[in-house]
Amino acid sequence: MTTQQQNERTRTDAAVAWTVGHAGELAGITVPAVAGVLVWPWLATVSGMVALWWAVNEVRDHRTRVELQNKVAPRQIETGPQGNAGSADEREVRA
């Protein structure tokens, strides 16, 4: 396996990272839903409504992040006359 292949993030990696990062939220939806099915049916309905609200917020959050990422211009560093990007007088400019 090459170094490039090792550094690439697969869809499985992304899915696992998302699941681990949202474990508390997933448990907060799943546990009441199961309890609702086993103990009190209305609890499952409330859990479903909370799950829907959570999903809507996740979609809004994703759209906001994508929109903000598209608005930010990439940054470039001007180089000196010799192409010396590490000089003390370097400055960042927006592309």
Side-chain angles (χ1 to χ4, degrees):
M1 193 178 279
T2 66
T3 305
Q4 184 180 8
Q5 289 173 333
Q6 291 174 349
N7 292 335
E8 289 179 7
R9 187 173 181 190
T10 65
R11 289 184 297 180
T12 303
D13 294 336
V16 169
W18 185 90
T19 304
V20 169
H22 292 81
E25 296 167 343
L26 292 170
I29 298 299
T30 306
V31 171
V34 170
V37 170
L38 299 175
V39 179
W40 187 48
W42 282 106
L43 189 59
T45 303
V46 171
S47 178
M49 293 173 68
V50 171
L52 179 63
W53 173 78
W54 174 57
V56 168
N57 280 333
E58 284 293 315
V59 169
R60 285 181 185 162
D61 182 47
H62 175 73
R63 288 181 180 167
T64 302
R65 270 188 276 120
V66 168
E67 191 174 300
L68 289 174
Q69 287 174 348
N70 290 337
K71 286 184 181 179
V72 176
R75 298 161 78 186
Q76 294 180 346
I77 298 176
E78 285 186 3
T79 60
Q82 292 85 16
N84 196 1
S87 66
D89 63 336
E90 70 183 26
R91 58 190 172 109
E92 294 180 0
V93 295
R94 294 274 177 188

